[in-house]
Amino acid sequence: MRLLVVIIAFIFQTTFALATDATIALSKSTTKDPFFSSLIESETLYKANIKLTPSFVDRDEEALERVLKGTADFALVGLDAFANQKIGGDPLVASLFTRPLLFDNLSQVYLVQDTELGSAGLSDISRMGLVSLGYWNRGELQLITKEPLSTARELKSLKIGFYEEDNVWKSNDVWLFTKLGAGNVQSLRPADLSVAFENGSINAAVVDWPADWLLDDKLAPAYRYASPIRPLVGMLVANSSYWHKLKEAEKRAWRQVTDAAQLVARQAIATQAIDLRAKYQNVKMQTIPLPENKKITDLLKTGSDDDSFLLYQYN
């Protein structure tokens, strides 16, 4: 009888092994993001008996704080949340993906992420007591205008609007257009942005692409030109103490899931790009013209080992 009980207990433990619970902190605005959806619906995690529970917060900075403190095991965080994190006075290598006008398109961003420089950006996060599993691509920040920008002088005529809840954009990017001569930059409620375009109180806006294009059908018909400013990139990070307690099989599962989510995110952006450009054929892509004395040295293309571009500022 005792032997039968032992056998039944063994079968039960083998068949119904306890799941490894994991919490992931992320912004509420991320609930429908393809990268996150790929994680939460992952068959790989399910087969590895890993139960992932989301913990939603208002801002990326809160998600970062939770994973640093260990109150969340993982976090999906935009790189802007790391803006004030300098270890030993040096910026994080991954901050290069937050630099405006450094990349011409998302293909260049992906290319760099897949090189040793991209890998260095991931491993450098360990200085903060985190383990970075991969990049989270969400599209790009764009400047949209009614009229084409042929010369740098035309930047001075811009009256730029942006969503008032984009506080990170205010601190990280508003200086760019101020330095380039735009004297009128204002925050607006999301519902007011397209109206402001229509009545002429603004003639340009900074928006997330493709997210804002998808959310506001009234916005796209109001402008004719779009210019990339910088990529919107984040990371999936894990609390270091939590990560090192995982079994090797669990770590492999997480790496596989992250790789798959990265591919899903890139494919989703590409598909949305095709659909949106077919829908809004009136919108033309253009490059923001810079004054001659304010050109950006493209160190990535020249293959320089100099990392001074991480600290790049306009003269």
Side-chain angles (χ1 to χ4, degrees):
M1 182 66 180
R2 181 178 297 175
L3 178 60
L4 179 60
V5 172
V6 171
I7 292 174
I8 292 174
F10 175 79
I11 293 174
F12 180 84
Q13 291 175 1
T14 304
T15 307
F16 303 100
L18 293 176
T20 301
D21 290 330
T23 58
I24 179 169
L26 70 162
S27 169
K28 296 173 184 175
S29 62
T30 314
T31 54
K32 296 183 180 180
D33 182 85
F35 188 105
F36 171 65
S37 297
S38 181
L39 292 180
I40 208 72
E41 298 169 3
S42 171
E43 285 289 329
T44 301
L45 292 184
Y46 177 77
K47 291 178 180 178
N49 220 19
I50 298 172
K51 181 183 178 182
L52 183 62
T53 303
S55 175
F56 295 111
V57 296
D58 292 327
R59 300 180 300 114
D60 281 1
E61 289 82 359
E62 295 176 54
L64 178 59
E65 183 179 0
R66 287 195 182 188
V67 75
L68 284 171
K69 290 182 177 180
T71 54
D73 305 312
F74 295 88
L76 199 53
V77 183
L79 289 181
D80 287 324
F82 294 89
N84 297 321
Q85 303 290 337
K86 291 187 177 182
I87 314 301
D90 296 324
L92 295 168
V93 173
S95 66
L96 74 94
F97 293 111
T98 68
R99 302 305 176 189
L101 310 184
L102 185 60
F103 298 96
D104 293 334
N105 52 55
L106 290 178
S107 294
Q108 288 185 1
V109 176
Y110 302 156
L111 182 63
V112 175
Q113 288 177 352
D114 294 339
T115 65
E116 292 183 1
L117 181 57
S119 298
L122 295 175
S123 60
D124 189 46
I125 296 296
S126 63
R127 288 193 286 156
M128 296 182 61
L130 298 173
V131 175
S132 182
L133 301 183
Y135 290 106
W136 165 41
N137 292 291
R138 298 183 292 121
E140 65 185 13
L141 201 67
Q142 289 185 346
L143 174 71
I144 57 175
T145 61
K146 281 188 173 183
E147 302 296 333
L149 297 174
S150 303
T151 68
R153 289 190 301 273
E154 292 170 346
L155 291 169
K156 296 182 179 181
S157 66
L158 295 182
K159 296 179 289 184
I160 303 174
F162 64 95
Y163 294 125
E164 62 184 357
E165 68 266 29
D166 292 344
N167 293 321
V168 170
W169 182 84
K170 274 194 280 189
S171 60
N172 288 356
D173 294 289
V174 73
W175 64 267
L176 167 66
F177 293 102
T178 302
K179 290 289 186 181
L180 292 177
N184 190 331
V185 181
Q186 57 184 300
S187 64
L188 298 165
R189 294 182 303 172
D192 294 337
L193 197 63
S194 56
V195 175
F197 245 120
E198 292 173 1
N199 64 27
S201 59
I202 63 172
N203 58 10
V206 170
V207 298
D208 291 357
W209 179 92
D212 292 337
W213 281 39
L214 293 168
L215 288 175
D216 193 344
D217 288 336
K218 295 180 180 179
L219 186 60
Y223 63 90
R224 293 291 180 270
Y225 299 89
S227 309
I229 299 174
R230 64 177 174 89
L232 295 171
V233 180
M235 283 185 179
L236 175 63
V237 294
N239 176 274
S240 182
S241 297
Y242 173 84
W243 179 259
H244 293 304
K245 292 177 183 177
L246 293 179
K247 300 175 183 177
E248 287 304 314
E250 292 170 331
K251 292 179 181 178
R252 284 196 300 271
W254 272 108
R255 292 191 181 99
Q256 291 172 10
V257 168
T258 304
D259 289 345
Q262 286 179 311
L263 182 59
V264 167
R266 292 182 183 184
Q267 290 175 337
I269 292 170
T271 300
Q272 290 167 348
I274 293 172
D275 294 343
L276 287 170
R277 284 165 188 161
K279 183 176 181 180
Y280 302 115
Q281 297 181 27
N282 61 305
V283 179
K284 297 180 180 179
M285 298 301 297
Q286 64 178 358
T287 301
I288 297 175
L290 297 177
E292 289 186 4
N293 65 334
K294 293 179 180 176
K295 289 182 179 178
I296 294 178
T297 303
D298 194 345
L299 296 174
L300 296 177
K301 291 181 179 177
T302 62
S304 171
D305 292 328
D306 182 9
D307 65 355
S308 62
F309 66 89
L310 297 176
L311 302 173
Y312 177 80
Q313 294 287 334
Y314 285 98
N315 296 325

